[in-house]
Amino acid sequence: MSEKSLKQQAAEAALEYVTDGMKLGLGTGSTAVFFIQALGEKVANGLNVICVPTSIASHKLAKKLKIPLTTLDETSKLDLVVDGADELDLELNLIKGGGAALLREKIVAAASDHMVVIADDSKLVDPLGAFPLPVEVIPFGAAATVELMHAAIKNAGSKGAVALRLLPNGKPLITDGGHYIYDCALGSISNPKQLALNLNVIPGVVEHGLFIGLAQVAILATKDGIRKIEL
Ligand code: 5RP
């Protein structure tokens, strides 16, 4: 079974958590696209939901599918966000941001009562860290921020290269919020909570891709069917 069809299965299984009248957060990435498409079909068939997308890309797709949209300014509390992840562990700590949408994803997750993660089972790891940790950084003084990030990483017991994410044309990727992404190739993260705290106190760091204590459910598609992790 292809990775794509596993992602689709996980995304469609998440519809079980959606009920009429819900306020939903819509994630970003290829797995979230399958969820938004499946939700769009339900909406076309009469499901009543209102949604906050976590990126310009997800906003465009949801709008095209005529999914009713709102913002966190109009609707500050959501029932549920359904989103993908780059990595997750059994405690449902996540690495996100491979699609550069981690800031809006984390804001929406924090505004949601529940977070359901959808992924193929290759994303389940122990420990986190083979996937480079994305950190969103203000362009002003970025080199100084990166120095502080190295110290924060060392203090949390990890180490590795920190690289500015570039576009294929060699220019820095700019996020929906107007910031850079630095990818931290740490190999393994022995203390995700400490690393998250250390990065959070650096002034030039807007946010990082460690999502700790935000997700309650993971729906993982395996070649043998759906596996759920529920906290
Ligand atoms: C975007 C994300 C995505 O959820 C993550 O990159 C997973 O993407 P995909 O579903 O394409 O594997 O965090 O910022």
Side-chain angles (χ1 to χ4, degrees):
M1 201 171 293
S2 71
E3 184 187 278
K4 203 170 151 190
S5 90
L6 289 175
K7 286 181 176 193
Q8 184 167 8
Q9 281 181 34
E12 289 174 357
L15 283 176
E16 151 194 1
Y17 290 85
V18 176
T19 55
D20 206 59
M22 269 189 166
K23 296 174 222 153
L24 294 175
L26 302 177
T28 296
S30 57
T31 319
V33 163
F34 284 123
F35 177 75
I36 297 169
Q37 286 169 339
L39 186 72
E41 269 183 44
K42 290 270 178 197
V43 167
N45 289 323
L47 180 77
N48 168 37
V49 287
I50 189 151
C51 301
V52 176
T54 54
S55 62
I56 293 171
S58 294
H59 185 278
K60 274 190 191 151
L61 176 63
K63 199 171 164 194
K64 190 170 129 207
L65 295 169
K66 299 192 168 55
I67 295 173
L69 297 177
T70 183
T71 63
L72 287 182
D73 297 313
E74 288 168 0
T75 310
S76 56
K77 202 82 194 109
L78 304 178
D79 299 301
L80 171 69
V81 58
V82 179
D83 202 348
D86 298 301
E87 281 187 353
L88 66 151
D89 66 18
L90 282 172
E91 290 174 23
L92 300 188
N93 299 310
L94 317 175
I95 287 184
K96 286 186 53 56
L102 67 97
L103 178 58
R104 292 191 189 186
E105 289 172 337
K106 199 178 274 188
I107 292 171
V108 169
S112 301
D113 286 340
H114 296 281
M115 179 177 193
V116 171
V117 179
I118 48 177
D120 67 88
D121 66 340
S122 70
K123 305 280 184 78
L124 182 65
V125 298
D126 179 27
L128 297 175
F131 189 92
L133 175 68
V135 180
E136 188 155 346
V137 168
I138 301 266
F140 177 86
T145 299
V146 168
E147 288 298 312
L148 294 174
M149 282 165 55
H150 277 295
I153 289 166
K154 191 172 171 203
N155 176 273
S158 295
K159 62 177 178 199
V162 174
L164 178 64
R165 195 181 299 182
L166 301 175
L167 294 168
N169 66 9
K171 293 193 174 150
L173 177 145
I174 303 293
T175 65
D176 287 350
H179 310 125
Y180 293 156
I181 295 277
Y182 283 87
D183 291 305
C184 308
L186 305 179
S188 75
I189 299 174
S190 53
N191 194 339
K193 282 188 190 131
Q194 188 63 54
L195 180 56
L197 288 172
N198 290 357
L199 290 170
N200 276 338
V201 297
I202 300 173
V205 169
V206 185
E207 254 310 335
H208 54 76
L210 283 167
F211 282 47
I212 313 274
L214 287 168
Q216 294 80 34
V217 176
I219 300 178
L220 302 176
T222 80
K223 63 178 179 26
D224 302 317
I226 293 291
R227 173 180 177 193
K228 271 190 212 168
I229 304 170
E230 286 173 309
L231 295 185

